[in-house]
Amino acid sequence: MSVLPTDSLETPRFCGVPTFMRLPMATNLSQLDAAIIGLPSDSGAPFRTGARFGPNAVRAMSIMLRPINPYRNDINVFETLRCADAGDAATVPGYEEECLQRIEQAVYALSSAGVVPCGIGGDHSITLAELRAVAKVHGPVALVQFDSHSDTWDKYFADKRYSAGTPFRRAVEEDLVDPSHSIQVGLRGSLFRTSDITQSLDLGYEVFTTDQMFDLGIKEMAQRIAERTAGRPTFITFDMDFVDPAFAPGVQTPEAGGPSAREALLLLRALKGINMVGCDVTEISPMYDGPGQITSLLGATVMAELLALLASERAA
């Protein structure tokens, strides 16, 4: 099976089925290093729905991207990594726990085959299912969470334990992540309670608010992330509301005052020394995006940078 993307200098981008970055569809997991998997569920969304349509919106805009990453020594990502698009997990719309079970099964099929799962979602509750799958293979992982919200609340609405606001509390309780080597970056905005941030600290996470991140600086922040994960198997989750809504309006819960698209990408490009065993980009609701689909384009670019990070670490 060829694992190189379609050459957009030979075949126009608007031709063919829009897989992620024009990669082939996965037919044999044994030949792959990493795979894109769509996780189209917004059954855990406490606010704006629509993230179930995020995966294909990201795929559609990803055809703009090219395989060589000039920010990591001109690495050709797909000559270094054997990648494919594994399609979507089958979900059960409106049934959160059933969705999580199906997503876990789909992601485990990749992770157990030695393939790094790269999820495109989907509200942020999907990450709990991914962590369940990855932890079965690697044990409790280090978590790097880029997000304007902690997502460590205990319950939402009528004592419901599973939603986009609770996955990273459940992940600690289920021993899926090692909080002593995990970090949340980008928290900001108004709060439900004064404990909204300290609850993450109480769980063992290291936390940097958006203001603290900027005070520290992009390069130092990247270094802190590498030090925190310390070479351990790491899952990176990127909630698109980490970015200021001026640059990413199509999200479930926009939060003013965040980094620009450029600043977010600078941080990702500064990352190194990360032993990434899984990643995702979540919370893209294309119905709230502008006609230029800038949130989906940025989401695709974020995933491309995560693939470049994986490729550069494998090539080192």
Side-chain angles (χ1 to χ4, degrees), residues 236-314:
I236 299 178
T237 182
F238 193 104
D239 186 322
M240 286 299 294
D241 69 29
F242 171 79
V243 183
D244 190 278
F247 303 90
V251 298
Q252 179 195 166
T253 313
E255 199 71 64
S260 67
R262 174 176 170 77
E263 289 161 340
L265 293 175
L266 282 173
L267 178 53
L268 292 175
R269 291 163 181 165
L271 292 177
K272 58 183 178 180
I274 308 295
N275 179 15
M276 192 174 79
V277 297
C279 65
D280 66 25
V281 180
T282 70
E283 294 288 3
I284 296 172
S285 299
M287 66 183 66
Y288 295 103
D289 218 348
Q293 302 172 74
I294 60 173
T295 310
S296 295
L297 175 59
L298 181 56
T301 305
V302 167
M303 180 54 74
E305 292 295 338
L306 292 173
L307 288 171
L309 169 62
L310 179 62
S312 65
E313 295 296 325
R314 293 285 179 93

Side-chain angles (χ1 to χ4, degrees), residues 7 35 44 78-79 113 152 202 219 232 250 264 271 278 292:
D7 186 350
F78 303 121
E79 288 181 355
T152 52
D202 291 341
K219 290 184 178 180
R232 287 166 169 75
L271 292 177

Side-chain angles (χ1 to χ4, degrees), residues 25 31 33 81 87 103 139 170 182 196 200 203 223-224 228 249 256 270 285 287 300:
M25 291 297 298
Q31 299 180 22
D33 298 309
L81 293 177
I103 290 169
R170 300 287 93 83
S182 298
D196 283 359
S200 290
L203 287 167
Q223 180 61 33
R224 292 288 186 93
R228 182 69 171 179
S285 299
M287 66 183 66

Side-chain angles (χ1 to χ4, degrees), residues 18 48 57 60-61 78 122 133 144 147 153 158 183 190 196 223 250 255 290:
R48 302 198 303 198
M61 294 307 290
F78 303 121
V144 178
D147 203 331
W153 292 281
I183 186 169
S190 54
D196 283 359
Q223 180 61 33
E255 199 71 64

Side-chain angles (χ1 to χ4, degrees), residues 67-104:
I68 294 175
N69 188 295
Y71 308 99
R72 293 190 182 272
N73 298 317
D74 289 338
I75 193 169
N76 187 314
V77 173
F78 303 121
E79 288 181 355
T80 305
L81 293 177
R82 297 168 298 174
C83 297
D85 191 320
D88 290 348
T91 56
V92 189
Y95 295 86
E96 169 70 346
E97 294 184 52
E98 289 82 355
C99 280
L100 294 178
Q101 291 169 3
R102 289 199 176 185
I103 290 169
E104 179 185 348

Side-chain angles (χ1 to χ4, degrees), residues 208-241:
F208 283 85
T209 66
T210 296
D211 290 343
Q212 290 169 334
M213 178 186 74
F214 279 122
D215 288 344
L216 193 64
I218 295 295
K219 290 184 178 180
E220 183 61 26
M221 187 72 256
Q223 180 61 33
R224 292 288 186 93
I225 291 169
E227 291 172 354
R228 182 69 171 179
T229 59
R232 287 166 169 75
T234 298
F235 191 97
I236 299 178
T237 182
F238 193 104
D239 186 322
M240 286 299 294
D241 69 29

